[in-house]
Amino acid sequence: MFSAFSSIDHHSVRSRTPTDTALKRLDGIGHVLSGLDISAIRTQDDVNRTLWTLDAASKCVRAVLAEFRTQPATEQFVRKSRNLIDLIERARDEVVSFQARGAASS
């Protein structure tokens, strides 16, 4: 789901403006999330850990948005932050759905 972020070369991205810095931070959040494998969830601990990771990532995206809210927003920054929030919510829904299916079959 977040695999598009796994190929980002963070060392080649130079932060020239506050928006560049914000985009770099969003890319970093997406890169961390690209390591999540929802299909590998087997236990309640896996569910809890994944939900915690998604919630933490969502808070981080919102923190970046808050930190840079006084800067002129570029379309790329707005689109990337919305995309990440949407992906996090979709992944969260999948995990909760997986959890509900697991409880129903137990």
Side-chain angles (χ1 to χ4, degrees), residues 53-101:
T53 301
L54 292 169
D55 290 344
S58 180
K59 288 177 184 176
C60 289
V61 171
R62 293 174 198 287
V64 171
L65 287 168
E67 182 177 348
F68 292 93
R69 74 172 170 256
T70 60
Q71 301 296 322
T74 66
E75 180 62 31
Q76 183 183 12
F77 174 64
V78 171
R79 185 176 50 250
K80 187 170 283 199
S81 59
R82 284 184 184 155
N83 185 37
L84 261 175
I85 289 170
D86 289 347
L87 287 171
I88 290 167
E89 288 303 314
R90 207 170 336 140
R92 194 175 202 304
D93 289 346
E94 280 187 42
V95 172
V96 170
S97 171
F98 172 84
Q99 183 180 24
R101 282 192 310 271

Side-chain angles (χ1 to χ4, degrees), residues 1-7 29-37:
M1 184 174 286
F2 298 98
S3 60
F5 292 95
S6 64
S7 62
I29 296 164
H31 182 73
V32 169
L33 291 174
S34 69
L36 283 180
D37 183 6

